[in-house]
Amino acid sequence: MTPTAIIVLAAGRGTRMRSGLPKVLHRVAGRSMLGHVLSAAGELEPRRAVVVTGPDMPAVEREARRFMPVAQFAVQPQQKGTAHAAGFARDELAGFEGVTLVLYGDVPLVRAGTLQRLAREVSADAPLVILAFEADDPKGYGRLILDAGGPVRAIREEKDACDEEKRITLCNSGIIAIDNALLWELLPEIGNANAQGEYYLTDIVELAAQAGREVRHVRCDEPEVLGVNDRAQLAVAERLMQRRLRARALANGVTLIDPDSVFLSADTEIAPDVLIEPWVFIGPGVSIAEGAVIRAHSHLEEASVGPRAQVGPFARLRPGAEIRETAKVGNFVEVKKAVIEEGAKVNHFTYIGDARVGAGANIGAGTITCNYDGANKHFTDIGKGAFIGSNSALVAPVRIGEGAYVGSGSVITKDVAPGALAVARGRQVEKPGWAARRKAKAGTQD
Ligand code: UD1
Ligand code: CA
């Protein structure tokens, strides 16, 4: 297989996003657009990778390293166009023999298989290949101008196209694969005599064709190469990605009663025979083991759900929630940074934060772990088989021993020994005949 290198252009400010965040860090299915591009490209195991960023974009570099630890960086000080941006990768790619893929950080839905198909098309006969698509509405995209018989003669940007060219619906995805030596031979020749006064990478097509090199194109479906320039396109990318993730879950043996109302993240791991009811939102970092049930209207992020566990309806699993095998987390229960061990039940109206709930323990309705004293977070440890009566407040740090009982309505501030009963509430007093006496007293006042 021909070795590959990649360049990802990610220096654009993305003014049309109207955002303080660099465009490529905007998320689609819980993962930045840059993360999507790098994880697809990563499957080609590139020998070298260069991400071109703008000045002062440390967050872009951090994100790129998460998804491609070998990535190197080049800074484009001013945004003078895609060819200008690609030029900054020159030093890192000097001497590389193979195929270089140029990717745009704002084209997040592209699949690894498509990139492979593109890279494989590059040969000595055709050293430059364009990834193209038939657009329903080509507005805003560069158009491919083909010679009779197939080769690409030029790419014309929307703003430079005449009316006839604007009617062309075969568009440039922005992604190209090119023999690395040819890239650096032609790039310096690209000028900026166009409507936007920018150095267009797309001009490399015309230069290659004029130099007698054949430029080919490979097609993919339009949704895969949607370019995200504004929030409306971001929302379209999200919808398309959700469709893809849901289809993958269904194919893997997950039941989604209403797929369209279940939101997944790019890294969501769901085992076969999981059932997910309608209106569930799954943020990044979630894994759900086989046979688990996620009931309607639940919200999960950075959490794990064990085999045959049940969550919801209306449950919230926050970062660090670990629901083990056959445990139950019921309605209006919030769990944060806590382990609910095997078979334990937290069924109604409860907050469990910074805690362990031992195997088989039962947490009564309305129980709260008071984990925060205004300055620090503290831990609550609930032993195996313990029983916490309804509406108890467990003031951390505190331990409830194995098999211990806590009476309903208690405010527990001290450790409870294994097997003991702790009751910490006002004692009930009863005054016989009090109601009649009160009525009589009220009567004299009238
Ligand atoms: C580009 C293509 C167009 C294609 C479309 C597909 C060019 C000239 N045009 O247009 O043919 O149909 O993508 O989505 O390439 N960038 C930099 N530095 C710059 C300019 C851009 O890093 O100076 C980066 C941007 O961050 C972005 C990518 O390059 O990730 C594409 O730039 P953008 O301005 O969005 O190009 P389009 O107008 O969409
Ligand atoms: Ca774009």
Side-chain angles (χ1 to χ4, degrees):
M1 216 179 79
T2 322
T4 53
I6 64 162
I7 301 174
V8 180
L9 303 188
R13 286 177 307 267
T15 36
R16 282 172 283 174
M17 295 294 282
R18 298 184 182 275
S19 173
L21 194 67
K23 175 161 74 173
V24 297
L25 295 185
H26 283 267
R27 287 167 186 274
V28 173
R31 175 179 288 175
S32 67
M33 294 200 274
L34 181 62
H36 282 288
V37 171
L38 289 175
S39 48
E43 289 188 37
L44 277 68
E45 296 176 10
R47 302 278 172 88
R48 300 191 201 178
V50 187
V51 179
V52 181
T53 71
D56 293 324
M57 290 189 179
V60 173
E61 288 199 22
R62 272 198 304 278
E63 183 73 352
R65 276 205 194 89
R66 271 185 61 203
F67 288 92
M68 193 167 279
V70 301
Q72 291 177 293
F73 298 91
V75 175
Q76 181 195 24
Q78 280 176 308
Q79 274 58 74
K80 294 185 184 173
T82 45
H84 181 250
F88 288 90
R90 185 187 196 113
D91 289 350
E92 274 74 23
L93 296 189
F96 170 72
E97 287 178 23
V99 173
T100 296
L101 283 167
V102 183
L103 301 149
Y104 290 176
D106 66 349
V107 180
L109 300 178
V110 68
R111 293 174 199 262
T114 303
L115 297 178
Q116 257 145 5
R117 195 154 58 86
L118 185 72
R120 274 202 298 264
E121 195 67 25
V122 176
S123 65
D125 291 339
L128 169 57
V129 185
I130 309 296
L131 183 62
F133 63 101
E134 278 293 342
D136 277 345
D137 174 10
K139 195 162 185 293
Y141 289 114
R143 315 294 210 281
L144 266 66
I145 299 176
L146 303 184
D147 273 336
V152 189
R153 175 159 30 103
I155 293 178
R156 192 77 70 238
E157 290 305 303
E158 167 94 21
K159 289 190 174 131
D160 302 295
C162 64
D163 286 348
E164 192 190 336
E165 289 166 340
K166 279 184 184 155
R167 282 194 291 272
I168 297 171
T169 51
L170 184 62
C171 292
N172 173 28
S173 71
I175 298 169
I176 65 169
I178 181 167
D179 170 68
N180 189 60
L182 184 67
L183 173 64
W184 303 111
E185 184 188 317
L186 297 181
L187 203 71
E189 291 180 33
I190 293 176
N192 66 347
N194 53 53
Q196 301 190 86
E198 284 190 4
Y199 297 87
Y200 292 159
L201 182 58
T202 44
D203 284 352
I204 202 165
V205 171
E206 208 158 357
L207 290 170
Q210 280 164 5
R213 318 301 296 264
E214 184 175 326
V215 183
R216 291 196 185 144
H217 75 280
V218 157
R219 294 182 195 218
C220 70
D221 292 337
E222 178 168 12
E224 209 184 320
V225 286
L226 169 79
V228 174
N229 299 311
D230 58 30
R231 307 267 180 168
Q233 286 167 330
L234 184 68
V236 175
E238 180 74 37
R239 200 168 64 226
L240 294 167
M241 183 61 83
Q242 289 299 337
R243 232 179 256 165
R244 191 187 285 182
L245 295 172
R246 290 165 189 150
R248 190 170 77 188
L250 294 168
N252 287 346
V254 177
T255 295
L256 305 176
I257 294 175
D258 174 23
D260 289 347
S261 71
V262 174
F263 290 80
L264 304 169
S265 285
D267 66 352
T268 304
E269 290 172 17
I270 317 179
D273 285 324
V274 166
L275 168 68
I276 303 183
E277 293 185 354
W279 305 111
V280 169
F281 184 93
I282 298 180
V286 171
S287 67
I288 306 174
E290 61 172 64
V293 178
I294 311 296
R295 304 194 61 196
H297 295 281
S298 293
H299 189 286
L300 294 75
E301 53 193 332
E302 288 174 49
S304 69
V305 178
R308 296 177 306 288
Q310 289 193 38
V311 172
F314 296 96
R316 178 164 185 212
L317 302 186
R318 289 175 51 205
E322 199 181 318
I323 315 304
R324 300 254 173 95
E325 199 162 331
T326 65
K328 282 189 180 175
V329 170
N331 45 277
F332 305 104
V333 171
E334 172 178 342
V335 181
K336 185 217 78 169
K337 206 175 175 189
V339 182
I340 312 297
E341 290 183 349
E342 189 174 332
K345 290 183 190 142
V346 191
N347 275 336
H348 342 259
F349 309 103
T350 289
Y351 173 59
I352 301 288
D354 301 292
R356 172 185 79 106
V357 175
N362 192 310
I363 310 297
T367 298
I368 303 289
T369 53
C370 309
N371 60 327
Y372 187 50
D373 60 13
N376 294 298
K377 302 277 170 68
H378 301 283
F379 192 74
T380 300
D381 189 66
I382 300 172
K384 184 173 163 186
F387 182 98
I388 312 297
S390 295
N391 201 35
S392 294
L394 309 175
V395 183
V398 73
R399 301 171 77 90
I400 312 297
E402 205 171 299
Y405 280 68
V406 168
S408 298
S410 291
V411 177
I412 298 293
T413 53
K414 287 184 283 202
D415 289 357
V416 179
L421 165 68
V423 185
R425 63 176 185 236
R427 262 183 192 283
Q428 187 166 331
V429 283
E430 187 162 319
K431 301 185 177 179
W434 182 89
R437 287 202 299 281
R438 183 179 181 277
K439 271 186 198 150
K441 209 171 149 191
T444 59
Q445 274 173 359
D446 281 340

